[in-house]
Amino acid sequence: MPLSSKLSQRLAMMEKKNNNPEREAKDKEFYEMMKDIDMQSAKRMHSIKSKKRELRGAQRQTKKKVEKLKEERSHEYSTSEDTRQLINRTFAELELSGKAHTFDEWCNECGCIHLEEVLKDSTNVDAPGVVDKDATNNVQKQL
């Protein structure tokens, strides 16, 4: 079906109006700019996510190092049972020697407490000059 001349002219004018090479170049340039911005944004987001991932990994490694150091150092600072007993015995002796001069059994001549004097009042004395070893050990433990 042939088109009327007016309709043909109108169609030609519309095509000329729509087929503007200058506008198409600007549209293409705008499209490229938008695409570039999207790519930069995607790169930036990827970079941020990557940095966050790296930071979490570094934090985990740091925590592991700190825990490892704490464990290694805890062995250095922990004391053995022998050391604890030695410390407790030394403290008890220091405490006793600090209070010893206040006891009635204290000997001012030699500066000590004679077990014979302590055990004189004890009921475990078998004969004069003979001291029960268990009683002596008990008194030493108490001191």
Side-chain angles (χ1 to χ4, degrees):
M1 185 167 159
L3 295 174
S4 70
S5 64
K6 284 188 176 186
L7 192 57
S8 303
Q9 286 176 355
R10 192 168 180 189
L11 183 59
M13 189 171 84
M14 290 298 280
E15 283 178 359
K16 185 179 177 185
K17 196 175 191 182
N18 285 335
N19 291 335
N20 187 348
E22 188 178 316
R23 188 178 69 212
E24 285 180 12
K26 287 183 180 179
D27 285 346
K28 188 174 182 181
E29 184 181 343
F30 179 73
Y31 175 75
E32 292 296 324
M33 285 175 40
M34 291 299 290
K35 193 174 179 182
D36 189 44
I37 289 172
D38 286 342
M39 289 299 288
Q40 287 177 0
S41 178
K43 286 180 185 177
R44 196 173 299 124
M45 283 300 292
H46 176 71
S47 176
I48 290 171
K49 288 180 181 178
S50 174
K51 295 300 178 190
K52 284 183 179 179
R53 196 174 314 115
E54 289 176 18
L55 180 61
R56 282 192 299 268
Q59 287 173 336
R60 269 190 247 115
Q61 288 177 346
T62 302
K63 285 180 183 178
K64 286 179 183 178
K65 285 181 184 178
V66 168
E67 290 300 319
K68 185 178 177 183
L69 284 173
K70 281 183 181 179
E71 176 133 354
E72 289 174 359
R73 290 180 181 171
S74 71
H75 295 298
E76 293 174 9
Y77 296 119
S78 64
T79 56
S80 67
E81 190 62 32
D82 294 337
T83 307
R84 282 193 193 119
Q85 288 176 357
L86 180 63
I87 291 170
N88 289 338
R89 191 174 340 115
T90 304
F91 178 76
E93 289 172 5
L94 288 174
E95 185 178 29
L96 178 62
S97 63
K99 295 179 181 177
H101 66 280
T102 61
F103 295 134
D104 293 334
E105 294 83 6
W106 179 256
C107 177
N108 287 324
E109 295 172 9
C110 64
C112 66
I113 296 177
H114 297 284
L115 291 179
E116 295 83 23
E117 294 294 323
V118 173
L119 296 176
K120 207 185 281 183
D121 298 330
S122 176
T123 57
N124 292 334
V125 176
D126 296 334
V130 177
V131 179
D132 185 12
K133 288 186 179 182
D134 291 332
T136 306
N137 289 337
N138 288 338
V139 170
Q140 286 178 342
K141 287 180 184 176
Q142 290 174 357
L143 297 177

